[in-house]
C-alpha cells in the first residue's frame, strides 16, 4: 500500500525500502499506540511495511524474522519480547546482509555487530523515577512501607530494568519493603488476577508499583473489589502514561505515572533510511520522557495523543 516512490531514495537499486517489523503483540495500550505509530510513520516515509504480531511469544518472533530474511526485505526492525536467545537468528540476518534495528526493547547479546542501533527508552531510569517519587512521598515517616510489585513480562528488558532501577532507589532506606513481586505479563487481566492474590496474602499493602498502566488498571479493579480505595488506601505508581492510565491518574486512582513514549515510528523510519543507505547511525537512541502527578495529568489529558 502507500503511494508513490517519492520520499526515500531506497537501497542500491533505488527502489522503495521494505521493512519487516516483528512486533511483540497487542498486550497493552502502549503496544497498540506503538503499532499505530510504526504503521503511520512507514506510510509517511514511503516505506513498505511487512508487519507481524508475535502474541508475546519469542518463537513467533523468530519465525517472523526468518520469513523476512527469506523475503529479502531491506531492513528488519523488531521489539524483542525477551532479552536473551537472539544470537542465532540475528546471525542469519547478518549473513544475509540485512541490517537489523532494535526498537523499544533490547537484547542481551554481547556481539553488538548483530544490530545497527537500538531505539527506545531508558527503562532503568524509569524505575528510578518511580522509586524517587516514593522516597519523597514517604520522606519523613519512620513507619514501614509495604510495597507490592507487578512485573512486566518475565525476561523482558522493561521488566528487568524497571525492577532494578526501582530497587536501587528504594534500597537506600530499609523502611521500604517489597513484600510481594510477581509478573502480570503487562496485561490488564493478569494485573487484576495477581493483585487479587496479593490482597489475599498481604493484609497490609501500602503501595503498588506496576511496571505498566494496564496492569495497574487491572489491579485497581481488584483493589475496589476488595473494598479498598485505590490511590488512598493503596497508593499506585505505574509506567507508560497511556490515555486510560492518565485518566485514572487524573481521577485520583493512580498517584504517579512515569512516562514511556510509544511514538517511536518517525525516528525508526529515519534510522531505517540511513542504515539501508549504509550511513552511520548512533548505536543508541534514547527516547525523551517525563513524569506526571495527578494535577499534571489533568492538564495533559486534553491534548494527549494516545
Ligand atoms: O511499557 C508495556 C508494554 O516494551 C516499553 O511493553 C514496552 C512495554 C510497555 O507492554 O506497556
Amino acid at each position: 500500500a502507500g503511494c508513490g516512490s517519492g520520499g526515500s531514495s531506497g537501497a542500491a537499486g533505488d527502489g522503495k525500502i521494505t521493512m519487516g517489523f516483528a512486533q511483540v503483540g497487542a498486550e497493552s495500550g502502549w503496544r497498540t499506540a506503538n503499532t499505530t505509530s510504526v504503521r503511520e510513520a512507514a506510510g509517511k516515509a514511503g516505506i513498505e511495511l511487512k508487519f507481524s504480531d508475535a502474541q508475546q511469544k519469542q518463537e513467533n518472533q523468530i519465525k517472523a524474522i526468518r520469513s523476512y530474511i527469506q523475503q529479502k526485505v531491506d531492513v528488519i526492525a523488531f521489539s524483542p519480547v525477551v532479552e536473551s536467545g537472539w544470537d542465532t537468528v540475528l546471525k542469519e540476518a547478518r549473513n544475509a546482509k540485512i541490517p537489523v534495528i532494535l526498537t523499544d526493547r533490547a537484547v542481551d547479546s554481547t556481539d553488538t555487530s548483530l544490530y545497527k542501533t537500538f531505539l527506545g527508552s531508558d527503562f532503568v531510569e524509569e524505575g528510578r523515577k518511580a522509586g524517587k517519587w516514593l522516597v519523597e512521598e514517604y520522606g519523613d515517616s519512620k513507619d514501614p512501607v509495604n510495597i507490592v510489585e507487578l512485573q512486566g513480562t518475565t525476561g523482558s528488558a522493561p521488566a528487568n530494568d524497571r525492577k532494578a532501577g526501582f530497587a536501587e532507589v528504594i534500597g537506600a532506606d530499609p523502611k521500604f519493603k517489597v513484600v510481594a513481586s510477581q509478573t502480570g505479563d503487562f496485561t490488564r487481566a493478569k494485573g487484576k488476577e495477581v493483585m487479587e492474590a496479593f490482597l489475599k496474602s498481604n493484609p497490609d499493602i501500602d503501595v503498588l508499583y506496576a511496571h505498566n498502566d494496564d496492569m495497574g488498571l487491572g489491579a485497581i479493579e481488584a483493589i475496589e473489589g476488595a473494598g479498598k480505595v485505590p490511590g488512598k488506601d493503596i497508593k499506585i505508581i505505574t509506567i507508560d502514561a497511556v490515555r486510560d492510565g492518565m485518566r485514572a491518574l487524573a481521577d485520583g486512582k493512580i498517584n504517579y505515572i512515569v512516562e514511556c513514549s510509544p511514538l517511536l515510528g518517525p525516528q525508526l523510519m529515519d534510522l531505517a533510511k540511513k542504515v539501508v543507505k549504509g550511513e552511520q547511525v548512533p548505536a543508541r537512541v534514547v527516547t525523551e520522557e517525563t513524569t506526571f502527578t495527578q494535577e499534571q495529568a489533568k492538564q495533559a489529558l486534553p491534548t494527549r495523543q494516545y
Side-chain angles (χ1 to χ4, degrees):
C3 53
S5 47
S8 59
S9 54
D14 218 51
K16 196 172 181 179
I17 296 176
T18 300
M19 170 188 284
F21 187 88
Q23 181 60 292
V24 167
E27 73 282 3
S28 64
W30 191 100
R31 189 64 54 197
T32 314
N34 179 246
T35 293
T36 304
S37 171
V38 169
R39 284 191 192 279
E40 284 179 3
K44 279 200 188 128
I47 291 181
E48 189 182 323
L49 189 71
K50 294 180 185 294
F51 182 91
S52 57
D53 172 338
Q55 303 190 320
Q56 297 230 71
K57 293 206 177 75
Q58 182 172 32
E59 72 231 52
N60 292 345
Q61 272 191 317
I62 291 176
K63 265 189 219 150
I65 294 169
R66 290 209 165 114
S67 115
Y68 296 146
I69 295 172
Q70 258 172 14
Q71 296 172 59
K72 299 192 168 56
V73 299
D74 299 302
V75 55
I76 292 171
F78 81 115
S79 173
V81 57
V82 290
E83 288 190 277
S84 54
W86 297 102
D87 286 35
T88 306
V89 72
L90 290 179
K91 276 179 194 152
E92 290 166 22
R94 191 176 59 190
N95 290 343
K97 300 201 167 44
I98 300 176
V100 172
I101 300 176
L102 302 178
T103 57
D104 160 38
R105 296 185 184 176
V107 297
D108 65 4
S109 310
T110 47
D111 182 356
T112 53
S113 76
L114 291 173
Y115 53 91
K116 297 291 178 203
T117 180
F118 166 36
L119 162 68
S121 309
D122 181 341
F123 300 134
V124 178
E125 192 51 36
E126 289 172 351
R128 286 192 194 114
K129 286 177 187 167
K132 279 178 194 153
W133 181 82
L134 200 60
V135 167
E136 274 173 35
E137 182 71 10
Y138 287 91
D140 310 328
S141 150
K142 294 269 173 287
D143 299 336
V145 180
N146 292 331
I147 304 163
V148 295
E149 178 177 32
L150 282 167
Q151 298 180 34
T153 301
T154 304
S156 70
N160 292 341
D161 295 353
R162 286 170 183 171
K163 186 175 199 299
F166 183 75
E168 175 195 311
V169 171
I170 63 161
D173 186 338
K175 79 177 175 220
F176 294 111
K177 294 190 170 58
V178 178
V179 294
S181 178
Q182 221 176 287
T183 182
D185 215 12
F186 280 132
T187 69
R188 242 179 241 215
K190 262 289 193 125
K192 181 178 180 194
E193 188 187 309
V194 177
M195 190 69 200
E196 280 166 353
F198 283 168
L199 285 160
K200 275 187 196 132
S201 46
N202 303 277
D204 215 18
I205 300 169
D206 300 303
V207 174
L208 162 67
Y209 168 45
H211 290 184
N212 79 345
D213 290 348
D214 280 81
M215 292 189 294
L217 291 163
I220 286 172
E221 291 175 34
I223 294 168
E224 288 174 339
K228 299 198 177 195
V229 184
K232 302 238 157 51
D233 297 335
I234 297 179
K235 293 195 174 139
I236 303 179
I237 313 167
T238 64
I239 297 180
D240 274 357
V242 295
R243 191 177 287 111
D244 288 353
M246 292 286 274
R247 274 202 199 106
L249 180 61
D251 289 348
K253 294 186 177 189
I254 294 179
N255 301 78
Y256 192 64
I257 300 186
V258 177
E259 185 184 42
C260 177
S261 176
L263 306 179
L264 304 178
Q267 278 170 297
L268 172 61
M269 299 310 148
D270 286 347
L271 289 166
K273 286 182 185 175
K274 288 187 179 148
V275 301
V276 169
K277 278 192 219 153
E279 285 174 21
Q280 236 11 71
V281 293
R284 175 79 169 102
V285 181
V286 184
T287 328
E288 271 184 38
E289 284 147 358
T290 183
T291 55
F292 295 97
T293 60
Q294 294 174 335
E295 277 315 307
Q296 289 165 333
K298 280 179 203 159
Q299 279 161 27
L301 256 175
T303 55
R304 198 78 184 148
Q305 274 188 63
Y306 54 90

